[in-house]
């Protein structure tokens, strides 16, 4: 760049000087030639128009033309100095009217060339006595042919100059011009160095700065050394680089924000190019789609059976789709971006709606269950009441009593269900506050033991209580925790055939207390173990209902224990029956 700029400057200056020299040289050479030509004619005219030469020539009156020519030559010889005739560079000839050369300089043997002026004087001039004095600057000679009449004879005095003097001068001038040219060239080279330094150095600095900016290095500003156009350009460039840096920083900032958002958002996001290749995806998308997403992954690989990419690109706003991956239900929202541009593509947002689906399903099931659970006692109440009313006075007293007993039982069951539902609804809406207090865990377990002892006896169960020594006091809602314990223990009694063995054990483990109710009853099949904490879930509906169960007891218990940040689980055990384990924090829930 620098070299080429330098070369350009050298070339410009050389061409400038050469053309200047050529113009000046041509002008000078032409001026000198014209001056010599004009001077030649002026000199000849002055001499020939002088009275003395006229008188001298008039005195020549010889008879023969050769004699006359001799005489005229002698006369003109006397004027040789004034005419500049030296016989070498400027020669004088006298010709007769036929063009025969009568007088020529001594030693001049070359044939005389009949130039335009001489021919004119010998033809036209012989008649009109007009002088032939029109020499061209371009010719390498200048001449004048003067017709003259002596007596009856007509002659032509012809003076021919070979321009030696003018050529000599122009040659010298040419040499001078060449010298000046060489000198000028040397100066131009030196000048170009200087100029290229002053012009090219700031340009080079600007170029280096621009290259740094192109590499993304905005650390240094370019020094502004002058106030000329390059200085202004450098200044503007610095401003532009500054603004570019700000913009890039802002864009990077936005990108970082978006990257963080993409990285941590729970919804999956995958962006595809117009060609259907993945441009961007977040970890959530790979997790939800259970697929490895790389640069080679295509739209078709991930969303087979969904709206085509071209369809999405044409969509006015967005398209929706749904996908099932394993157990998960995914809702897809597909929208085109930068549609009109080559860089555009499609953005797919993946939302996991599995829980939503489950909740909906559970809600539906719950409503169906509630209706069913309430309908059964209602139907019973109605049919018994109907029978009593239709057969009033005809039914034996003990049957009537039995019927009324069923009605009371069923309404109790309904009340029970409604109460349980109310409890759950209070938990769901967060309206049920725990009444925390510190109480003896040991006493609570012992109370439970005594409370269920009679019931266990009725079923011929062997009820054992195993307590670790030094059980600590516990911070919890005593009533609620007792409700949980009671539920677990009653279930053990209910679902163990008469004559079973039930053990209530309790102890402490680090910052928690635990209680396990272990029975050797009917137990729970493996496939149902995960579901018994769900609302209304019962392994054997008939048996549960028979024993007055609502299927809500364990779900209420789980709800209460969760609110205490405790644990209520089925414990693995050997042999038949079930072991339910309750764990509670000694100091109560962390925020409670
Ligand atoms: P229920 O009011 O029907 O007893 P629960 O929520 O207390 O409702 O229990 C849910 C279901 O779990 C019961 O219907 C029963 O099938 C099963 N279950 C609970 N405890 C036991 C147990 N100790 N042994 C066997 N099955 C049990």
């Amino acid at each position: 760049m620098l070299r080429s700029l330098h070369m350009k400057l050298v070339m410009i200056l050389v061409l400038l000087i050469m053309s200047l020299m050529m113009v000046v040289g041509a002008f000078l050479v032409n001026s000198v030639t014209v001056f010599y030509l004009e001077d030649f004619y002026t000199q000849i005219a002055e001499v020939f128009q002088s009275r003395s030469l006229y008188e001298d020539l008039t005195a020549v009156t010889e008879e023969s033309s050769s004699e006359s020519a001799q005489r005229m030559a002698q006369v003109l010889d006397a004027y040789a100095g004034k005419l500049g005739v030296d016989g070498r560079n400027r020669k004088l000839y006298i010709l007769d009217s036929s063009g025969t050369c009568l007088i020529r300089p001594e030693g001049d043997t070359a044939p005389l060339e009949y130039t335009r002026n001489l021919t004119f004087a010998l033809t036209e001039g012989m008649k009109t006595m007009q002088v032939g004095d029109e020499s061209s600057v371009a010719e390498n000679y200048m001449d004048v042919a003067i017709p003259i009449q002596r007596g009856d004879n007509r002659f032509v005095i012809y003076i021919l100059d070979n321009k030696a003097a003018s050529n000599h001068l122009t040659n010298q001038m040419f040499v001078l011009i060449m010298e000046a040219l060489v000198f000028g060239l040397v100066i131009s080279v030196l000048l170009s160095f200087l100029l290229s330094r002053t012009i090219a150095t700031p340009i080079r600095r600007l170029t280096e700065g621009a290259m740094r900016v192109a590499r993304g290095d905005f650390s240094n500003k370019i020094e502004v050394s002058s106030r000329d156009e390059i200085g202004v350009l450098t200044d503007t460039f610095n401003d532009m680089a500054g603004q570019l840096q700000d913009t890039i920083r802002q864009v990077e900032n936005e990108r970082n924000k978006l990257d963080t958002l993409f990285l941590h958002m729970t919804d999956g996001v995958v962006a595809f190019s117009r060609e259907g290749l993945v441009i961007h995806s977040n970890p959530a998308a790979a997790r939800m789609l259970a697929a490895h997403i790389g640069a080679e992954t295509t739209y078709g690989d991930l969303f087979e059976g969904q709206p085509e990419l071209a369809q999405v690109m044409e969509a006015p706003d967005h398209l929706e789709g749904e996908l099932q991956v394993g157990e998960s239900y995914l809702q897809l929202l597909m929208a085109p971006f930068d549609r009109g541009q080559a860089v555009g593509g499609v953005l797919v947002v993946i939302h996991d709606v599995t829980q939503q689906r489950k909740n909906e399903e559970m809600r539906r099931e719950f409503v169906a269950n509630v209706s069913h659970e309430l309908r059964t006692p209602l139907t019973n109440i109605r049919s018994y009441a109907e029978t009593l009313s239709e057969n009033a006075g005809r039914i034996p007293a003990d049957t009537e009593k039995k019927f009324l007993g069923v009605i009371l039982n069923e309404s109790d069951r309904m009340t029970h269900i409604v109460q349980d539902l109310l409890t759950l609804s209070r938990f769901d809406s967060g309206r049920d506050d725990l009444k925390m207090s510190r109480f003896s865990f040991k006493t609570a377990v012992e109370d439970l033991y005594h409370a269920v002892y009679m019931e266990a006896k009725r079923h011929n169960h062997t009820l054992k209580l195993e307590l670790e020594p030094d059980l600590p006091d516990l911070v919890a809602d005593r009533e609620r925790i007792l409700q949980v314990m009671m539920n677990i223990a009653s279930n053990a009694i209910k679902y163990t055939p008469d004559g079973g063995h039930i053990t209530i054990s309790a102890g402490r483990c680090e910052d928690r207390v635990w209680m396990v109710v272990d029975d050797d009853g009917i137990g729970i099949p493996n496939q149902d173990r995960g579901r018994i904490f769900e609302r209304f879930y019962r392994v054997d509906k008939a048996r549960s209902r028979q024993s007055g169960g609502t299927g809500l007891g364990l779900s209420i218990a789980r709800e209460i224990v969760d609110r205490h940040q405790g644990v209520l689980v089925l414990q693995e055990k050997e042999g038949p029956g079930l072991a339910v384990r309750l764990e509670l924090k000694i100091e109560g829930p962390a925020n409670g």
Side-chain angles (χ1 to χ4, degrees):
M1 170 74 189
L2 175 69
R3 272 192 71 180
S4 90
L5 185 69
H6 182 209
M7 282 313 288
K8 277 179 193 162
L9 278 170
V10 171
M11 290 302 290
I12 289 170
L13 285 173
V14 165
L15 284 174
L16 196 77
I17 288 176
M18 272 173 57
S19 51
L20 199 74
M21 284 300 172
M22 272 164 67
V23 170
V24 170
F27 179 75
L28 275 178
V29 168
N30 189 54
S31 303
V32 166
T33 318
V34 169
F35 170 77
Y36 263 87
L37 195 66
E38 281 174 358
D39 185 58
F40 170 71
Y41 285 117
T42 314
Q43 194 180 9
I44 301 298
E46 267 178 10
V47 173
F48 274 90
Q49 280 163 10
S50 68
R51 177 157 280 280
S52 56
L53 179 65
Y54 176 75
E55 280 169 1
D56 291 348
L57 284 177
T58 314
V60 178
T61 51
E62 274 71 17
E63 283 299 311
S64 82
S65 61
S66 61
E67 279 172 5
S68 296
Q70 283 296 339
R71 278 287 301 128
M72 280 195 289
Q74 279 166 8
V75 169
L76 288 169
D77 219 20
Y79 288 88
K82 281 187 179 169
L83 289 169
V85 173
D86 57 5
R88 257 184 320 113
N89 295 328
R90 192 174 289 182
K91 296 172 180 170
L92 185 134
Y93 300 86
I94 298 175
L95 297 93
D96 63 11
S97 57
S98 65
T100 312
C101 188
L102 302 175
I103 298 295
R104 55 168 63 228
E106 257 178 62
D108 182 61
T109 50
L112 187 62
E113 195 188 332
Y114 286 85
T115 62
R116 194 156 59 96
N117 282 340
L118 185 55
T119 313
F120 173 79
L122 286 170
T123 50
E124 278 295 303
M126 280 297 112
K127 293 173 216 155
T128 59
M129 298 312 281
Q130 261 185 308
V131 178
D133 58 357
E134 278 179 14
S135 282
S136 158
V137 181
E139 307 282 14
N140 61 353
Y141 65 89
M142 47 191 183
D143 60 349
V144 61
I146 308 155
I148 192 162
Q149 182 161 12
R150 284 286 74 101
D152 293 336
N153 299 320
R154 291 192 170 180
F155 302 94
V156 171
I157 299 173
Y158 182 60
I159 298 171
L160 177 69
D161 191 300
N162 64 3
K163 283 190 173 172
S166 123
N167 283 348
H168 180 68
L169 197 68
T170 49
N171 282 347
Q172 269 187 343
M173 261 166 44
F174 184 72
V175 170
L176 210 69
I177 286 167
M178 287 318 276
E179 279 172 4
L181 190 67
V182 170
F183 191 65
L185 288 180
V186 172
I187 288 178
S188 75
V189 171
L190 289 177
L191 255 178
S192 69
F193 265 113
L194 265 175
L195 273 175
S196 68
R197 268 179 69 111
T198 45
I199 295 172
T201 305
I203 290 180
R204 197 190 61 226
R205 243 188 264 143
L206 195 63
T207 313
E208 284 168 2
M211 279 158 79
R212 272 204 307 277
V213 169
R215 283 197 304 270
D217 172 9
F218 293 94
S219 53
N220 295 321
K221 281 200 159 195
I222 306 166
E223 194 189 318
V224 182
S225 50
S226 60
R227 292 310 319 157
D228 57 9
E229 284 87 341
I230 294 180
V232 175
L233 179 65
T234 312
D235 226 4
T236 316
F237 181 83
N238 279 336
D239 282 354
M240 192 191 73
Q243 281 188 10
L244 192 65
Q245 189 181 11
D246 283 352
T247 314
I248 288 178
R249 219 176 272 153
Q250 273 174 17
V251 170
E252 257 173 19
N253 220 321
E254 289 300 314
R255 207 189 52 199
N256 287 345
K257 263 195 259 171
L258 272 181
D259 279 352
T260 318
L261 191 81
F262 273 161
L263 202 67
H264 298 294
M265 70 193 283
T266 46
D267 280 354
V269 177
V270 194
F272 294 94
S273 67
R274 203 170 263 283
E275 292 73 36
L277 286 170
V278 169
I279 312 169
H280 195 93
S281 75
N282 66 351
R287 200 177 52 242
M288 287 168 149
L289 296 168
H292 169 76
I293 304 179
E296 249 83 273
T297 315
T298 62
Y299 178 86
D301 294 342
L302 296 178
F303 303 114
E304 206 189 333
Q306 299 301 319
E308 294 285 320
L309 189 83
Q311 248 175 297
V312 183
M313 289 296 294
E314 294 304 316
D317 183 31
H318 71 270
L319 294 182
E320 283 181 17
E322 223 177 81
L323 197 66
Q324 192 179 352
V325 179
E327 302 258 293
S328 310
Y329 291 94
L330 305 176
Q331 188 185 40
L332 307 177
L333 210 135
M334 301 142 159
F337 64 89
D338 286 344
R339 206 194 308 249
Q341 289 163 35
V343 288
V346 163
L347 196 75
V348 183
V349 179
I350 310 158
H351 187 58
D352 192 340
V353 289
T354 316
Q355 196 53 45
Q356 211 171 306
R357 285 285 169 86
K358 273 191 188 156
N359 288 348
E360 276 166 20
E361 182 63 27
M362 273 167 63
R363 208 169 17 249
R364 265 201 301 276
E365 223 171 83
F366 184 73
V367 172
N369 279 332
V370 170
S371 338
H372 181 78
E373 292 302 325
L374 291 177
R375 206 174 49 226
T376 316
L378 265 177
T379 319
N380 284 343
I381 291 170
R382 189 180 165 78
S383 51
Y384 279 98
E386 246 173 25
T387 314
L388 283 175
S389 120
E390 279 168 14
N391 303 296
R394 280 180 283 146
I395 299 174
D398 58 335
T399 313
E400 197 179 71
K401 199 173 170 200
K402 215 171 95 191
F403 278 18
L404 285 171
V406 172
I407 291 174
L408 279 176
N409 232 346
E410 289 295 311
S411 52
D412 277 354
R413 226 168 87 75
M414 273 178 68
T415 314
H416 203 150
I417 293 174
V418 172
Q419 260 167 4
D420 280 357
L421 284 174
L422 275 174
T423 310
L424 278 173
S425 123
R426 270 205 301 276
F427 282 146
D428 288 348
S429 60
R431 274 185 285 120
D432 191 83
D433 286 336
L434 297 175
K435 296 180 189 72
M436 306 303 275
S437 64
R438 192 176 287 274
F439 60 93
S440 160
F441 182 57
K442 183 171 175 268
T443 317
V445 181
E446 282 170 349
D447 285 353
L448 168 71
Y449 176 78
H450 296 306
V452 296
Y453 185 79
M454 287 313 292
E455 182 67 11
K457 265 265 133 2
R458 237 196 320 278
H459 290 276
N460 280 331
H461 294 317
T462 311
L463 184 66
K464 274 203 276 177
L465 178 66
E466 290 175 1
L467 295 180
E468 280 184 2
D470 303 329
L471 283 180
D473 284 354
L474 171 71
V475 177
D477 183 330
R478 192 172 188 279
E479 285 310 306
R480 292 275 179 221
I481 293 302
L482 267 177
Q483 185 185 344
V484 173
M485 290 171 158
M486 198 65 163
N487 185 266
I488 303 169
S490 316
N491 278 350
I493 294 168
K494 267 197 292 186
Y495 300 107
T496 302
D498 288 0
H501 297 85
I502 298 164
T503 310
I504 301 173
S505 44
R508 174 187 182 156
C509 174
E510 295 174 3
D511 62 338
R512 289 169 175 244
V513 286
W514 57 264
M515 184 196 85
V516 174
V517 178
D518 189 336
D519 65 55
D520 59 352
I522 56 168
I524 292 177
N526 269 346
Q527 71 270 19
D528 292 307
R529 286 175 76 91
R531 300 195 60 188
I532 62 156
F533 294 101
E534 287 177 17
R535 295 174 186 187
F536 290 114
Y537 194 81
R538 285 170 297 186
V539 179
D540 182 346
K541 284 196 189 341
R543 190 189 181 111
S544 161
R545 202 170 294 129
Q546 202 181 12
S547 53
T550 59
L552 293 170
L554 280 182
S555 46
I556 293 177
R558 172 60 78 76
E559 209 64 62
I560 294 171
V561 175
D562 280 353
R563 299 192 76 198
H564 279 83
Q565 293 173 5
V567 177
L568 181 64
V569 284
L570 298 186
Q571 191 169 281
E572 291 297 321
K573 67 165 282 187
E574 302 263 310
L578 194 74
V580 182
R581 183 185 177 89
L582 164 72
E583 270 182 37
L584 290 168
K585 285 182 180 176
I586 293 168
E587 290 306 322
N591 59 354

